[in-house]
Amino acid sequence: MVNVEVNLASGLPSFMVVGLPQGAVREGRERVAAALRNTGYPLPPRRITVNLAPGDVRKEGTAFDLPIAIGLLAASGRLDLARLAGHAFVGELGLDGSLRPVRGVLPMALAFRDQGVTSVIVPAGNAQEAGVVDGLVVFGASTLRAVVDHLTGSSRLSQMTLDVAQLLAPACADGPDLADVRGQAVARRVLEVAAAGSHNAMFVGPPGSGKTMLARRLSGILPPLTLEEALEVTQVHSVAGRLLDGGPLVIRRPFRAPHHTVTDAGLIGGGSPIRPGEVSLAHHGVLFLDELAEFRRNVLDVLRQPLEEGLVQLSRARGAVRFPARILLVTAMNPCPCGYWGDPSGRCVCDPGQVRRYLGRVSGPLIDRIDLHVQVPPVPFDSLSRVNQGESSATIRGRVTAARRIQEARFQEVAGVFANGQMGARELRRWCSPSRDVSALLKQAVDRLGLSARSYHRVLKVGRTLADLAGEKDVRAEHVAEALQYRYLDRLVG
C-alpha cells in the first residue's frame, strides 16, 4: 500500500514528488498538472510537495497519477477529506484529464480489500478487472472530472458488478480437439496421463509426426479453472499488461509456446521493472517448448526451480520478486539433427555420435524432471485416411477430471499439492508404497536402465496416476509397467 501525502507551503511555486519515484512517476507531475488545468482546477501557486509513503520502496508506473491529483485537490480545499475515507485510487491521467487503464489492477484491488479499503476508483478500462474482487466496491471513471463530481456528490459513478460464475461457464467451449488427431494412440494416452496427474511430458519424433498438434490440445483436456486458479492466473497476466484489451478474467487455462530463441529473462521473467516471463504466464496451464534441443542450454537450466517448486524467485539490484509458476511442461524435439533417426524410411543421415550429441543438448537434470517421454512415429497412411475419429477432448477431459477429484480428496490436507505430479517424499511413502511384485519390477528397471532416484520416484508418481485413471486403490505392477514404457530416453540410453 502506498499513501499519497500532499503538502502546500508558502514559497516559490514548485512541484516535487519524493518517496523514491522512478521515471514514469516523476514524469507524472506534468501529466497531473496539465490534467488539473484542463479540467478547470489549476495548480495553486504554492510550493507543492507530494510524498509517496513508505519512502524506502521504489515507486514505478503511471498508476499514481489519479491519487496525486486527488490529493492536490483535497490539500487545496476543493475536496472534503472526509469523503476520501475508505477510498483507494488508481489510474493514469491524460493531458486532457482522461483516465487511462494501467497494469496490475487486479492484484492491487485484492491488496486494497485485504487492507480494509471499502471502495476503489479505477479507469473505466480497468473496472471489470477490479470488479472480479468480492467484498470491494468498484467504480470506473473515464475522466478526472467524473471522479471529482462523484466525490463532491454532484453526480455518481456507476458501481461495477460482475457474475464471476457466469464468466467461468464457457471456459471449455472452444479450442483444438483431440478428435482431430489421427493415429498416435500412445501419444494420446500420454496426454491423458499428463493431464490427469499434472506430469511433464516430452515427445520425440521426426518432423510431421504430429508432436506440435498433440501438445496444442493438452490444455483442452485439463479440468476447467476454479475461481481461485482463475484469479491467480489473471493477476499474473494483469501485471504483465495482457488484460488491457481483454476480458476481466482469464477463464481458460493458458497455453504458452515461446520460440527457441527466447532469453532466460523472457522465459522466467526480468526486465526493469521486473515483469513475469513465459513460465509465469503459463501458471495453472501449459508451457510448450517446441524444438527443445534448439533452446540455449542456460535458458533451459533456469526451468529447474519452477518445475520443482512451482514458483520463480528473481533477485535483482532493484529488488526481489516472486512469481507463481505452477505449470505443466510439454516439450517436443527431433531425435537427431536431420530429424529422421529411427524412421523406417531410412532417410536419416546422422551417425550415432551425432545423435548422442544432439540428445545431449538437453541436460540430464532437466530430463529427470520430465515424467513422461515417448517416441512419436510417423503416422501411417491407413490412419491418415481413416474416416472414424478418435475420442474427443470433452470425453477425455471427463476421465481426467474424475482422476483429479480423487487426487484433490487425497491431498486436501497437504499444502501446495493438488495432483500426483507434485507429490513429495512424504506423500510418496504414504500413497505410493510399492508392493513386493512392484518392487521387483522397479529393481529390474533401475538395474537395466540406470534410473536416477528422481526418475524412480517419477515412475511411481505416474503409476499412481494410472491407478487413479483406472479407479484402483493400489498401485499395481501393470501400472508401473506402463509408466516404465513412458521413459523412452532412459530406454534409449540403457
Side-chain angles (χ1 to χ4, degrees):
M1 289 282 287
V2 175
N3 293 311
V4 179
E5 303 171 346
V6 179
N7 182 65
L8 303 182
S10 56
L12 291 175
S14 64
F15 189 174
M16 180 180 295
V17 179
V18 299
L20 288 183
Q22 303 305 295
V25 184
R26 290 195 300 270
E27 292 173 353
R29 294 177 300 180
E30 304 302 323
R31 292 192 297 271
V32 170
L36 286 171
R37 187 182 309 111
N38 293 326
T39 306
Y41 304 106
L43 290 176
R46 307 284 293 277
R47 187 169 182 267
I48 301 171
T49 303
V50 175
N51 179 42
L52 306 178
D56 60 346
V57 177
R58 293 178 184 271
K59 317 302 188 306
E60 297 173 323
T62 57
F64 297 97
D65 290 1
L66 178 59
I68 289 175
I70 297 299
L72 284 166
L73 292 173
S76 59
R78 292 189 173 98
L79 287 177
D80 185 359
L81 278 173
R83 286 183 173 269
L84 304 184
H87 281 289
F89 303 88
V90 175
E92 175 186 338
L93 286 171
L95 300 183
D96 59 351
S98 59
L99 274 176
R100 296 170 179 165
V102 296
R103 301 172 186 256
V105 165
L106 176 58
M108 292 182 200
L110 289 167
F112 290 148
R113 182 195 62 184
D114 295 341
Q115 293 291 330
V117 173
T118 57
S119 66
V120 60
I121 296 179
V122 300
N126 293 126
Q128 285 192 323
E129 180 183 344
V132 171
V133 179
D134 188 31
L136 184 69
V137 178
V138 177
F139 298 102
S142 56
T143 64
L144 176 60
R145 167 71 71 178
V147 177
V148 174
D149 291 344
H150 174 81
L151 295 173
T152 57
S154 58
S155 65
R156 186 166 178 82
L157 296 171
S158 58
Q159 181 179 341
M160 174 57 60
T161 56
L162 286 176
D163 186 347
V164 178
Q166 186 176 2
L167 286 175
L168 290 172
C172 297
D174 303 319
D177 199 312
L178 263 176
D180 302 330
V181 178
R182 296 290 187 269
Q184 304 298 8
V186 174
R188 290 169 59 97
R189 173 66 167 172
V190 165
L191 282 184
E192 181 176 343
V193 175
S198 190
H199 300 288
N200 302 321
M202 174 189 287
F203 295 129
V204 183
S209 56
K211 303 185 296 294
T212 301
M213 186 178 187
L214 286 160
R216 291 189 177 278
R217 282 151 178 76
L218 177 55
S219 58
I221 63 174
L222 290 169
L225 285 170
T226 64
L227 175 57
E228 182 181 354
E229 290 173 338
L231 287 173
E232 290 180 13
V233 174
T234 305
Q235 287 185 71
V236 177
H237 284 248
S238 176
V239 170
R242 297 180 178 273
L243 290 179
L244 300 185
D245 298 322
L249 198 66
V250 177
I251 61 174
R252 292 179 177 84
R253 292 193 180 271
F255 180 90
R256 305 294 301 179
H259 192 260
H260 62 78
T261 57
V262 68
T263 63
D264 52 356
L267 191 61
I268 67 167
S272 180
I274 301 175
R275 298 288 185 218
E278 294 289 340
V279 173
S280 295
L281 291 171
H283 181 54
H284 285 314
V286 177
L287 177 68
F288 176 48
L289 302 183
D290 201 3
E291 302 296 343
L292 184 67
E294 303 300 327
F295 283 78
R296 290 191 292 274
R297 187 154 183 164
N298 67 299
V299 173
L300 293 179
D301 285 344
V302 300
L303 285 173
R304 297 185 192 180
Q305 182 194 41
L307 292 179
E308 286 294 325
E309 301 178 12
L311 57 86
V312 172
Q313 299 187 71
L314 299 174
S315 297
R316 300 290 186 268
R318 300 170 67 89
V321 299
R322 273 186 172 189
F323 291 127
R326 186 70 73 180
I327 63 170
L328 183 51
L329 176 67
V330 182
T331 66
M333 63 182 292
N334 295 332
C336 67
C338 76
Y340 293 101
W341 185 79
D343 192 308
S345 65
R347 285 184 286 177
C348 182
V349 296
C350 304
D351 60 53
Q354 288 177 304
V355 174
R356 284 194 298 270
R357 285 192 295 273
Y358 187 78
L359 295 176
R361 293 183 184 180
V362 184
S363 68
L366 178 60
I367 292 177
D368 268 354
R369 289 169 170 83
I370 298 178
D371 302 1
L372 309 159
H373 26 89
V374 294
Q375 186 179 22
V376 183
V379 183
F381 175 77
D382 291 344
S383 296
L384 287 174
S385 58
R386 187 177 301 159
V387 177
N388 295 332
Q389 292 182 322
E391 286 185 305
S392 67
S393 291
T395 301
I396 299 173
R397 186 169 58 246
R399 295 198 297 266
V400 168
T401 303
R404 283 290 186 101
R405 289 200 184 106
I406 294 173
Q407 294 165 55
E408 288 171 5
R410 177 182 299 140
F411 304 125
Q412 60 182 344
E413 298 179 358
V414 183
V417 177
F418 59 85
N420 293 329
Q422 289 130 16
M423 283 192 289
R426 182 179 301 174
E427 292 76 40
L428 274 170
R429 287 194 300 270
R430 180 173 179 184
W431 285 293
C432 301
S433 181
S435 61
R436 181 175 298 177
D437 55 342
V438 169
S439 295
L441 179 60
L442 285 170
K443 184 179 185 305
Q444 292 179 15
V446 170
D447 293 341
R448 181 174 300 177
L449 303 179
L451 298 180
S452 68
R454 184 181 284 115
S455 297
Y456 167 82
H457 290 147
R458 291 189 181 278
V459 168
L460 281 176
K461 293 177 184 179
V462 173
R464 177 68 269 173
T465 298
L466 291 167
D468 291 340
L469 283 170
E472 300 282 352
K473 180 179 179 181
D474 299 321
V475 179
R476 301 181 184 276
E478 57 265 29
H479 304 138
V480 173
E482 183 178 352
L484 287 168
Q485 293 301 308
Y486 304 141
R487 303 294 301 181
Y488 169 68
L489 294 181
D490 292 332
R491 300 201 314 275
L492 191 65
V493 174

XYZ file of all heavy atoms in Angstrom, residues 193 196-200 307-308 368-369 371-372 407 410-411 417 419-429 431-433 442 453-469 475 479-480 483 487:
423
model
N -2.610 -39.030 -19.419
C -1.920 -39.258 -18.146
C -1.303 -37.967 -17.641
O -1.368 -37.645 -16.446
C -0.846 -40.353 -18.311
C -0.042 -40.513 -17.032
C -1.481 -41.676 -18.702
N -4.067 -35.825 -16.248
C -4.695 -36.381 -15.048
C -3.837 -36.192 -13.808
O -4.367 -35.971 -12.713
C -5.002 -37.861 -15.255
N -2.521 -36.287 -13.948
C -1.655 -36.198 -12.779
C -0.734 -35.005 -12.752
O 0.127 -34.913 -11.885
N -0.886 -34.086 -13.711
C -0.001 -32.921 -13.832
C 1.454 -33.369 -13.969
O 2.330 -32.950 -13.217
C -0.163 -31.970 -12.633
O 0.510 -30.753 -12.860
N 1.683 -34.232 -14.953
C 3.024 -34.750 -15.220
C 3.614 -34.064 -16.450
O 2.938 -33.934 -17.478
C 2.977 -36.272 -15.476
C 2.437 -37.071 -14.336
N 3.143 -37.266 -13.166
C 1.258 -37.728 -14.180
C 2.419 -38.012 -12.338
N 1.279 -38.311 -12.929
N 4.866 -33.655 -16.356
C 5.558 -33.087 -17.503
C 5.794 -34.174 -18.556
O 6.032 -35.336 -18.221
C 6.894 -32.480 -17.078
C 6.719 -31.411 -16.008
O 5.774 -30.639 -16.063
N 7.624 -31.379 -15.040
N 10.028 -25.911 -12.036
C 9.470 -27.260 -12.143
C 9.415 -27.956 -10.793
O 8.519 -28.766 -10.533
C 10.295 -28.091 -13.125
C 10.217 -27.674 -14.599
C 11.109 -28.564 -15.451
C 8.787 -27.728 -15.105
N 10.364 -27.681 -9.919
C 10.398 -28.324 -8.605
C 9.505 -27.615 -7.590
O 8.811 -28.252 -6.807
C 11.833 -28.363 -8.078
C 12.725 -29.378 -8.771
C 12.296 -30.810 -8.501
O 11.831 -31.102 -7.385
O 12.411 -31.642 -9.412
N 15.335 -35.516 -16.140
C 14.880 -36.174 -14.915
C 13.587 -35.566 -14.392
O 12.812 -36.229 -13.689
C 15.953 -36.073 -13.834
C 16.882 -37.279 -13.848
O 16.604 -38.223 -14.609
O 17.871 -37.275 -13.103
N 13.364 -34.290 -14.690
C 12.170 -33.602 -14.199
C 10.974 -33.754 -15.137
O 9.931 -33.140 -14.911
C 12.486 -32.115 -13.967
C 13.391 -31.883 -12.766
C 13.919 -30.460 -12.711
N 14.580 -30.194 -11.434
C 15.818 -30.510 -11.131
N 16.570 -31.149 -12.035
N 16.341 -30.216 -9.958
N 8.370 -36.397 -16.469
C 7.859 -37.707 -16.059
C 7.650 -38.659 -17.235
O 7.831 -39.870 -17.101
C 6.519 -37.544 -15.329
C 6.632 -36.655 -14.108
O 7.727 -36.151 -13.845
O 5.611 -36.460 -13.416
N 7.221 -38.107 -18.358
C 6.811 -38.939 -19.492
C 7.585 -38.505 -20.734
O 7.527 -37.328 -21.113
C 5.308 -38.773 -19.761
C 4.364 -38.946 -18.564
C 3.029 -38.280 -18.843
C 4.154 -40.410 -18.260
N -7.553 -37.149 -6.578
C -6.322 -36.572 -6.036
C -6.599 -35.389 -5.123
O -5.914 -35.193 -4.117
C -5.418 -36.150 -7.201
C -4.929 -37.336 -8.023
C -4.350 -36.934 -9.362
O -3.444 -36.108 -9.424
N -4.868 -37.510 -10.446
N -7.447 -36.788 -1.901
C -6.267 -37.391 -1.290
C -5.365 -36.334 -0.650
O -4.823 -36.537 0.426
C -5.507 -38.166 -2.371
C -4.204 -38.795 -1.894
C -3.508 -39.485 -3.060
N -4.338 -40.546 -3.616
C -4.465 -40.795 -4.914
N -3.814 -40.066 -5.804
N -5.240 -41.784 -5.319
N -5.215 -35.196 -1.325
C -4.257 -34.188 -0.871
C -4.913 -32.982 -0.210
O -4.299 -31.924 -0.104
C -3.414 -33.704 -2.062
C -2.689 -34.791 -2.793
C -2.853 -34.966 -4.159
C -1.844 -35.654 -2.114
C -2.181 -35.965 -4.845
C -1.166 -36.672 -2.787
C -1.340 -36.822 -4.156
N -0.082 -29.131 -2.708
C -0.128 -30.330 -3.552
C -1.588 -30.591 -3.924
O -2.450 -30.689 -3.059
C 0.454 -31.562 -2.831
C 0.335 -32.802 -3.706
C 1.910 -31.322 -2.456
N -2.065 -32.545 -7.141
C -2.004 -33.598 -8.161
C -0.817 -34.506 -7.877
O 0.125 -34.122 -7.174
C -1.900 -32.993 -9.565
N -0.850 -35.701 -8.448
C 0.199 -36.681 -8.179
C 1.579 -36.196 -8.600
O 2.588 -36.539 -7.977
C -0.114 -37.991 -8.910
C -1.339 -38.686 -8.351
O -1.633 -38.568 -7.167
N -2.054 -39.396 -9.205
N 1.638 -35.417 -9.659
C 2.923 -34.935 -10.138
C 3.644 -34.022 -9.174
O 4.850 -33.798 -9.309
N 2.941 -33.486 -8.172
C 3.557 -32.576 -7.198
C 3.872 -33.246 -5.865
O 4.279 -32.580 -4.918
C 2.617 -31.380 -6.940
C 2.533 -30.440 -8.119
C 1.112 -30.119 -8.508
O 0.187 -30.356 -7.744
N 0.938 -29.592 -9.707
N 3.696 -34.549 -5.778
C 3.959 -35.237 -4.515
C 5.421 -35.121 -4.108
O 6.323 -35.195 -4.943
C 3.582 -36.720 -4.626
C 2.107 -36.989 -4.562
S 1.739 -38.759 -4.350
C 2.209 -39.393 -5.961
N 5.635 -34.963 -2.800
C 6.970 -35.004 -2.247
C 7.277 -36.376 -1.671
O 6.498 -37.325 -1.810
N 8.410 -36.483 -0.970
C 8.844 -37.774 -0.431
C 7.832 -38.344 0.562
O 7.536 -39.540 0.559
C 10.210 -37.627 0.225
N 7.280 -37.461 1.395
C 6.324 -37.943 2.408
C 5.068 -38.498 1.750
O 4.564 -39.561 2.142
C 5.973 -36.792 3.350
C 5.032 -37.175 4.472
C 4.749 -35.988 5.383
N 5.995 -35.466 5.963
C 6.050 -34.361 6.711
N 4.941 -33.682 6.961
N 7.196 -33.946 7.207
N 4.555 -37.786 0.747
C 3.351 -38.253 0.066
C 3.613 -39.546 -0.710
O 2.751 -40.427 -0.779
C 2.825 -37.169 -0.883
C 2.268 -35.933 -0.187
C 3.361 -35.021 0.349
O 4.385 -34.846 -0.346
O 3.196 -34.510 1.478
N 4.808 -39.651 -1.286
C 5.155 -40.883 -1.994
C 5.138 -42.086 -1.062
O 4.630 -43.160 -1.409
C 6.533 -40.735 -2.637
C 6.596 -40.095 -4.025
C 8.031 -39.790 -4.406
C 5.955 -41.005 -5.058
N 5.714 -41.919 0.121
C 5.732 -43.042 1.078
C 4.325 -43.437 1.497
O 4.040 -44.615 1.722
C 6.564 -42.662 2.311
C 8.064 -42.628 2.072
C 8.817 -42.587 3.390
N 8.477 -41.410 4.180
C 9.114 -40.248 4.106
N 10.136 -40.102 3.269
N 8.754 -39.227 4.860
N 1.257 -42.838 -0.217
C 0.283 -43.263 -1.221
C 0.880 -44.078 -2.360
O 0.129 -44.556 -3.208
C -0.441 -42.040 -1.800
C -1.446 -41.465 -0.847
C -2.604 -42.042 -0.421
C -1.386 -40.196 -0.181
N -3.266 -41.225 0.455
C -2.544 -40.064 0.623
C -0.477 -39.143 -0.185
C -2.798 -38.946 1.401
C -0.729 -38.025 0.585
C -1.875 -37.941 1.374
N 2.187 -44.213 -2.399
C 2.799 -44.966 -3.497
C 3.751 -46.040 -2.989
O 4.697 -46.410 -3.693
C 3.557 -44.016 -4.437
S 2.543 -42.743 -5.172
N 3.535 -46.515 -1.792
C 4.415 -47.546 -1.250
C 4.306 -48.815 -2.103
O 3.219 -49.401 -2.235
C 4.031 -47.863 0.201
O 4.888 -48.847 0.734
N 10.513 -52.726 -10.332
C 11.287 -51.484 -10.292
C 12.784 -51.773 -10.167
O 13.614 -51.063 -10.746
C 10.813 -50.609 -9.140
C 9.467 -49.900 -9.354
C 8.978 -49.269 -8.058
C 9.580 -48.831 -10.438
N 17.425 -41.589 -8.847
C 16.435 -41.609 -7.757
C 15.210 -40.774 -8.132
O 14.065 -41.164 -7.844
C 17.070 -41.083 -6.464
N 15.451 -39.630 -8.807
C 14.320 -38.789 -9.201
C 13.453 -39.514 -10.229
O 12.232 -39.475 -10.160
C 14.826 -37.455 -9.755
C 13.690 -36.483 -10.093
C 14.203 -35.167 -10.659
N 14.758 -34.324 -9.607
C 16.039 -33.975 -9.531
N 16.896 -34.417 -10.432
N 16.474 -33.195 -8.568
N 14.081 -40.193 -11.190
C 13.314 -40.932 -12.199
C 12.516 -42.063 -11.562
O 11.369 -42.326 -11.939
C 14.256 -41.497 -13.263
O 14.920 -40.468 -13.949
N 13.123 -42.755 -10.586
C 12.437 -43.825 -9.864
C 11.160 -43.294 -9.214
O 10.084 -43.904 -9.310
C 13.379 -44.406 -8.818
C 12.741 -45.302 -7.783
C 12.470 -46.638 -8.048
C 12.407 -44.803 -6.523
C 11.881 -47.451 -7.096
C 11.828 -45.608 -5.559
C 11.562 -46.936 -5.856
O 10.978 -47.738 -4.905
N 11.274 -42.140 -8.554
C 10.103 -41.560 -7.891
C 9.054 -41.113 -8.906
O 7.841 -41.227 -8.660
C 10.526 -40.379 -7.020
C 11.318 -40.799 -5.814
N 12.327 -40.030 -5.280
C 11.250 -41.918 -5.042
C 12.849 -40.652 -4.234
N 12.208 -41.791 -4.073
N 9.516 -40.626 -10.053
C 8.551 -40.164 -11.053
C 7.804 -41.335 -11.681
O 6.636 -41.196 -12.044
C 9.259 -39.312 -12.108
C 9.738 -37.982 -11.531
C 10.247 -37.006 -12.562
N 10.706 -35.791 -11.892
C 9.943 -34.800 -11.496
N 8.636 -34.869 -11.709
N 10.432 -33.733 -10.892
N 8.452 -42.469 -11.808
C 7.747 -43.662 -12.283
C 6.634 -44.031 -11.311
O 5.510 -44.374 -11.716
C 8.733 -44.831 -12.471
C 7.986 -46.147 -12.683
C 9.658 -44.564 -13.653
N 6.922 -43.944 -10.025
C 5.891 -44.239 -9.030
C 4.732 -43.238 -9.102
O 3.559 -43.616 -8.966
C 6.507 -44.204 -7.619
C 7.297 -45.448 -7.194
C 7.930 -45.222 -5.819
C 6.396 -46.687 -7.160
N 5.057 -41.962 -9.314
C 4.000 -40.958 -9.422
C 3.103 -41.236 -10.628
O 1.869 -41.151 -10.530
C 4.614 -39.563 -9.538
C 5.340 -39.085 -8.293
C 5.975 -37.714 -8.541
C 6.795 -37.264 -7.341
N 7.431 -35.950 -7.561
N 3.721 -41.561 -11.761
C 2.926 -41.867 -12.948
C 2.095 -43.126 -12.711
O 0.921 -43.197 -13.119
C 3.841 -42.031 -14.178
C 3.040 -42.513 -15.383
C 4.535 -40.711 -14.505
N 2.675 -44.124 -12.037
C 1.910 -45.325 -11.700
C 0.700 -45.009 -10.850
O -0.389 -45.579 -11.039
N 0.864 -44.072 -9.914
C -0.258 -43.664 -9.069
C -1.370 -43.022 -9.912
O -2.562 -43.273 -9.696
C 0.249 -42.687 -8.025
C -0.763 -42.078 -7.068
C -1.356 -43.084 -6.107
N -2.569 -43.698 -6.628
C -3.200 -44.697 -6.038
N -2.730 -45.216 -4.927
N -4.294 -45.204 -6.550
N -0.984 -42.212 -10.890
C -1.973 -41.580 -11.763
C -2.686 -42.612 -12.622
O -3.905 -42.536 -12.820
C -1.299 -40.525 -12.656
O -0.727 -39.510 -11.831
C -2.294 -39.888 -13.603
N -1.948 -43.577 -13.150
C -2.576 -44.637 -13.944
C -3.572 -45.428 -13.107
O -4.639 -45.827 -13.596
C -1.493 -45.552 -14.518
C -0.604 -44.922 -15.602
C 0.619 -45.799 -15.865
C -1.403 -44.729 -16.881
N -3.235 -45.647 -11.847
C -4.177 -46.334 -10.957
C -5.426 -45.488 -10.726
O -6.549 -46.017 -10.695
C -3.485 -46.646 -9.627
N -5.244 -44.165 -10.588
C -6.406 -43.281 -10.400
C -7.303 -43.278 -11.635
O -8.536 -43.281 -11.520
C -5.933 -41.858 -10.098
C -5.273 -41.743 -8.727
O -5.512 -42.623 -7.884
O -4.526 -40.774 -8.505
N -6.693 -43.257 -12.819
C -7.499 -43.295 -14.043
C -8.283 -44.601 -14.156
O -9.390 -44.626 -14.701
C -6.588 -43.134 -15.263
C -6.091 -41.715 -15.556
C -5.009 -41.733 -16.623
C -7.255 -40.823 -16.012
N -1.389 -49.084 -6.292
C -0.545 -49.071 -7.490
C -0.095 -50.499 -7.758
O 0.607 -51.108 -6.946
C 0.674 -48.150 -7.301
C 1.550 -48.161 -8.549
C 0.231 -46.727 -6.973
N 0.447 -51.016 -13.648
C 0.524 -49.559 -13.725
C 1.978 -49.102 -13.831
O 2.315 -48.218 -14.631
C -0.134 -48.924 -12.499
C -1.551 -49.336 -12.297
N -2.082 -49.646 -11.058
C -2.558 -49.529 -13.187
C -3.348 -49.985 -11.187
N -3.662 -49.925 -12.472
N 2.839 -49.720 -13.031
C 4.257 -49.364 -13.071
C 4.879 -49.789 -14.396
O 5.715 -49.070 -14.969
C 5.005 -50.004 -11.880
C 6.512 -49.793 -12.000
C 4.500 -49.416 -10.569
N 4.001 -47.218 -16.836
C 4.769 -45.999 -16.555
C 6.196 -46.123 -17.084
O 6.764 -45.152 -17.599
C 4.775 -45.711 -15.057
N 9.274 -43.988 -20.513
C 10.620 -43.480 -20.216
C 11.511 -43.768 -21.424
O 12.529 -44.454 -21.337
C 11.186 -44.143 -18.951
C 10.362 -43.989 -17.697
C 10.271 -42.578 -17.221
N 11.571 -41.992 -16.921
C 11.730 -40.751 -16.464
N 10.675 -39.962 -16.299
N 12.932 -40.275 -16.218
